[in-house]
Amino acid sequence: MGDDGARSARAALDDGVARALDLALDEARGQEQPPARLCLRLARLHADAGDAAGALRWCAAVVDAGEDLASWTAASAVLARVLPEVGPLPRSARVAVLGSSTTSQLAALLPLALARAGVAAEVYESGYGQYQQEVLDPTSGLHRFGPDVVVVVPDETQLHLPEHSDEPVAAVDAEVERWSRLWHRVRAATGARVVQLTVPVPVDQALGHLGLRVAGSRYRMRLLLDLRLADAAAQAGVALVDCGRLAARVGADRWSDARLWHVAKQAVGLSVVPLLARHVAAVVAAELGRGRKCLVLDLDGTVWGGVLGEDGLGGIALGDGPAGEAFAAFQEYALALEARGVVLAVCSKNDEELVREAFRVHPGMRLTLERIAVLSAGWDDKPAQLRRIAQVLGLGLDALVLVDDNPVEREAVRQLVPEVDVVCLPPDPADYVRALADYPWFEAPALTQDDRRRTEQYRARAEVAALQESASSLDDFYRSLVMAARVVEVDDLVLPRVAQLVGKTNQFNLTGRRRGLAELRALAGDPAWEVLAVRLSDRFTDHGVVGVLLLEQRGGALHVDTWLMSCRVIGRTLEDEMLGLVLAAAGERGCDEVVGSYVPSRRNGLVAGLYERLGFSRAGAGAPGPGPGGPAQDGTARWVLRVAGARAGRGFIEVQDERRRPVRAGAGGREGAHG
């Protein structure tokens, strides 16, 4: 075929793809959640049409469209085809799957599920049953792969517990210790975060119901093992995927298939592998800082039954009767999410005064205004209100999740602000809790005291934004906040929050280094290092630990390994005070200079000029590049500040060091310890 013939054939093919795509899109219209096979077809057609971004979007839709293994598998292939053509996703990660049984299906589906969370994943799978050997062998594929995250997938045969023990507690403790050693070895060998899948307790018990009463039975030891393993994981900073809960959700008969085990050593039934992949991805994404943060609630038909503006306060269904109890239960579930760190907001087309009155006086209300970070009630369209909510909270739209009973509103949000996740509520309010509970992307790597107060902190942030608008000058605004910073001891209570910030902070993060809990604990005890955690409070709230510095002394220089701040307090001048802490640490150690690095990423352009603004000078060789400091060829710009004569602090924040090292407050600037 000549060139003309090839072009004609190509044009005919393109026309065919375009027609097929139009037909598929027409079929998808009118279906709020198209079935997985239609999503797959649309992904393929977008890929054939050269629209890689569209293909990626429909591949991700497959993840939300059920658990059809064939569709997931095919969508994974489409994803592998188009991902190189799409711009970089918010995060990338190398994920290793170490299993004791067949894990090929899970490993194949993880990139698809992680792409749904905005993570471009490269996945490595260990040899069958080789999970321990690969960790111990420094020449193994695991070591060469260099994972960021290691997912450990054991099966029941790998739990070394006897059928009966005269010392059941000791037997369980020994098993916990064995797994703890494996986690330690994984970290020592790879430096990766560890995600461990638990093994559901088998329902086939020879002792029957008696097994629960026999102290030394394997059944009782298995129940105890899950609890002890969870305690050890929490202490070690290892994330868990609670497969027992997933198995209970789908039923034991569906979770595992004895025939598959005997034929292929497949421990998990094929029909639930997509579900497992989705939840493993949610936990991994949380470890990588890609969990969703804010639940946005519609009101009429979602938080209460009826329409407030038409039915009046006494006409809405809430608290009494089957429907009223269902709405109350949904509110209580939202409060439970808030208690674990999910920020609550309201987005409603309603009269704001009526809404506030309903919150204040309706006896059936479980939610209170104090638990709502932003209440947006008015007549603007929902996409516009969601954008304002994100702006006030200082969150990206991709941190928001909307629940709304109105399918038209849901579709408007999907089309106009596709970054916002939308939970599809069923018609019966009795099913609302289950619909929200099945949404997996609110996972978090830990639950700290600061997480429990997150809505309060974000609500204070909204009040600060209002105060800023009314201030006559920026300096007056800063003074009116009455800010105080406290440097706190990095102990077992604070360390999880430090690890959380290191794991997820993107914007104000100079180097983007992601260190896990165990590594941070080791650095905190290393005399060559300083691990500083800074709390900030103002007249509205205590924001908790919002700043972290990891400093390493090398000879006469103090190197800033990590410098990050929560987006909640960006623009408060805290970074100026943190420089004072760096200078104080350098002075105490007899260091003459502070060395900092800026490693550019897609999301930390905010701090590209930080070192220059704080008085650092560019150091080292490297071809100047765009931006302040002229990034070297490897993308990293190094900066140096002589301690003698260096000044820090702008005097708007009172600083207290609650460790052993007092730092005097900066009133108009603070000199370095050698100054």
Side-chain angles (χ1 to χ4, degrees):
M1 183 182 294
D3 289 346
D4 291 344
R7 278 194 290 271
S8 297
R10 173 72 188 187
L13 176 62
D14 290 346
D15 287 345
V17 170
R19 283 195 299 274
L21 186 54
D22 286 343
L23 288 172
L25 287 171
D26 285 343
E27 186 178 346
R29 290 188 188 99
Q31 299 187 66
E32 182 170 12
Q33 179 58 71
R37 290 185 180 278
L38 179 54
C39 297
L40 171 63
R41 181 156 34 112
L42 282 160
R44 283 171 167 161
L45 289 167
H46 277 283
D48 291 344
D51 179 5
L56 173 63
R57 187 170 64 253
W58 283 105
C59 282
V62 172
V63 177
D64 293 335
E67 282 119 29
D68 179 60
L69 178 61
S71 296
W72 275 62
T73 302
S76 297
V78 177
L79 176 74
R81 175 182 160 195
V82 301
L83 200 54
E85 302 171 25
V86 181
L89 299 187
R91 286 296 299 267
S92 61
R94 299 164 71 82
V95 180
V97 177
L98 307 185
S100 60
S101 58
T102 300
T103 55
S104 53
Q105 289 84 4
L106 175 64
L109 301 188
L110 272 181
L112 178 69
L114 282 165
R116 162 68 175 81
V119 179
E122 182 181 353
V123 173
Y124 169 83
E125 183 188 9
S126 71
Y128 171 78
Q130 298 297 304
Y131 68 103
Q132 297 184 82
Q133 294 90 327
E134 294 237 9
V135 174
L136 295 171
D137 181 2
T139 67
S140 69
L142 172 69
H143 286 250
R144 292 194 299 274
F145 180 66
D148 302 302
V149 180
V150 169
V151 181
V152 182
V153 190
D155 66 82
E156 182 68 21
T157 67
Q158 300 302 304
L159 303 181
H160 297 173
L161 295 172
E163 284 302 313
H164 184 275
S165 173
D166 293 332
E167 297 181 344
V169 174
V172 169
D173 286 346
E175 184 60 6
V176 171
E177 176 60 25
R178 192 173 69 83
W179 286 104
S180 298
R181 284 199 301 273
L182 179 70
W183 301 336
H184 176 75
R185 285 167 180 159
V186 169
R187 284 203 173 114
T190 67
R193 294 178 172 82
V194 180
V195 175
Q196 168 104 17
L197 274 61
T198 65
V199 182
V201 179
V203 295
D204 300 326
Q205 297 293 326
L207 281 172
H209 297 289
L210 184 61
L212 194 57
R213 289 175 46 199
V214 176
S217 71
R218 180 182 170 96
Y219 183 65
R220 276 182 59 110
M221 286 189 284
R222 286 287 284 104
L223 296 174
L224 180 60
L225 176 64
D226 280 358
L227 296 177
R228 293 289 178 89
L229 205 61
D231 290 342
Q235 180 66 23
V238 169
L240 294 180
V241 177
D242 185 359
C243 292
R245 185 171 66 85
L246 296 180
R249 176 74 178 85
V250 302
D253 290 342
R254 189 179 162 206
W255 180 261
S256 62
D257 185 330
R259 286 166 297 186
L260 271 177
W261 173 254
H262 294 309
V263 170
K265 291 298 177 282
Q266 175 78 37
V268 178
L270 292 177
S271 68
V272 296
V273 175
L275 172 74
L276 180 59
R278 187 188 294 128
H279 281 265
V280 172
V283 172
V284 171
E287 289 289 310
L288 299 173
R290 290 296 301 165
R292 298 272 170 164
K293 297 177 180 175
C294 178
L295 174 64
V296 185
L297 298 161
D298 168 57
L299 296 179
D300 292 337
T302 302
V303 162
W304 53 64
V307 179
L308 180 62
E310 297 175 2
D311 301 323
L313 196 56
I316 60 176
L318 182 60
D320 297 324
E325 290 183 12
F327 285 111
F330 182 67
Q331 289 195 22
E332 288 169 355
Y333 189 81
L335 284 171
L337 287 176
E338 192 264 352
R340 50 150 288 188
V342 176
V343 178
L344 298 185
V346 162
C347 176
S348 172
K349 288 181 177 176
N350 243 313
D351 181 277
E352 181 172 341
E353 284 308 311
L354 275 179
V355 166
R356 290 186 178 277
E357 183 184 14
F359 272 84
R360 283 194 300 266
V361 305
H362 197 288
M365 285 293 295
R366 270 51 169 185
L367 291 164
T368 64
L369 291 172
E370 290 72 27
R371 304 265 61 87
I372 305 296
V374 176
L375 190 151
S376 176
W379 304 107
D380 290 340
D381 58 75
K382 293 283 180 73
Q385 292 194 49
L386 288 167
R387 291 190 187 96
R388 275 203 302 274
I389 289 170
Q391 183 179 16
V392 170
L393 294 176
L395 295 172
L397 285 167
D398 62 358
L400 271 52
V401 178
L402 173 71
V403 286
D404 193 319
D405 71 304
N406 188 331
V408 175
E409 299 286 8
R410 296 198 294 259
E411 186 58 25
V413 170
R414 287 192 184 99
Q415 291 193 19
L416 298 176
V417 276
E419 302 93 339
V420 176
D421 260 1
V422 180
V423 175
C424 185
L425 288 181
D428 191 334
D431 297 324
Y432 283 7
V433 170
R434 175 57 60 83
L436 190 52
D438 281 347
Y439 178 83
W441 307 106
F442 279 131
E443 285 293 335
L447 178 59
T448 67
Q449 290 300 318
D450 287 344
D451 292 328
R452 297 180 191 278
R453 301 178 55 247
R454 186 167 291 164
T455 288
E456 174 192 328
Q457 292 163 350
Y458 275 94
R459 190 159 56 88
R461 183 174 180 155
E463 292 171 338
V464 167
L467 179 64
Q468 185 170 10
E469 289 180 0
S470 63
S472 58
S473 71
L474 197 55
D475 285 1
D476 287 345
F477 164 66
Y478 289 143
R479 292 189 188 95
S480 69
L481 290 176
V482 195
M483 292 183 286
R486 296 157 52 207
V487 186
V488 297
E489 203 72 49
V490 181
D491 54 21
D492 286 344
L493 292 177
V494 172
L495 202 55
R497 172 58 178 166
V498 171
Q500 190 181 60
L501 284 170
V502 170
K504 72 178 185 180
T505 304
N506 294 308
Q507 295 182 68
F508 197 113
N509 191 335
L510 273 299
T511 56
R513 296 188 178 106
R514 310 291 184 185
R515 300 182 187 279
L517 183 68
E519 189 176 6
L520 290 168
R521 180 178 283 118
L523 293 182
D526 188 330
W529 286 75
E530 298 255 2
V531 179
L532 303 183
V534 182
R535 300 181 70 97
L536 183 71
S537 62
D538 57 36
R539 57 186 276 197
F540 295 106
T541 190
D542 180 351
H543 296 274
V545 175
V546 292
V548 172
L549 282 163
L550 304 185
L551 311 173
E552 182 188 17
Q553 183 178 2
R554 299 180 204 161
L558 190 64
H559 289 253
V560 182
D561 173 272
T562 296
W563 186 349
L564 56 84
M565 282 190 346
S566 167
C567 60
R568 291 183 233 163
V569 295
I570 289 174
R572 299 285 193 91
T573 74
L574 181 60
E575 64 272 25
D576 296 77
E577 306 301 335
M578 291 179 75
L579 174 60
L581 300 173
V582 176
L583 291 171
E588 287 195 1
R589 289 170 174 269
C591 296
D592 296 322
E593 61 183 18
V594 174
V595 179
S597 299
Y598 168 67
V599 182
S601 72
R602 290 182 60 243
R603 302 183 65 180
N604 72 348
L606 172 75
V607 291
L610 179 71
Y611 282 123
E612 186 175 40
R613 182 177 75 74
L614 295 177
F616 284 66
S617 300
R618 174 111 191 283
Q633 288 176 328
D634 65 357
T636 300
R638 295 178 68 248
W639 298 83
V640 174
L641 179 66
R642 299 290 299 175
V643 175
R647 297 174 63 82
R650 296 175 60 183
F652 298 115
I653 302 176
E654 180 184 356
V655 181
Q656 294 181 336
D657 193 337
E658 297 186 348
R659 304 169 304 152
R660 296 179 300 278
R661 184 182 301 110
V663 177
R664 59 190 173 87
R670 179 170 50 244
E671 292 192 352
H674 284 185

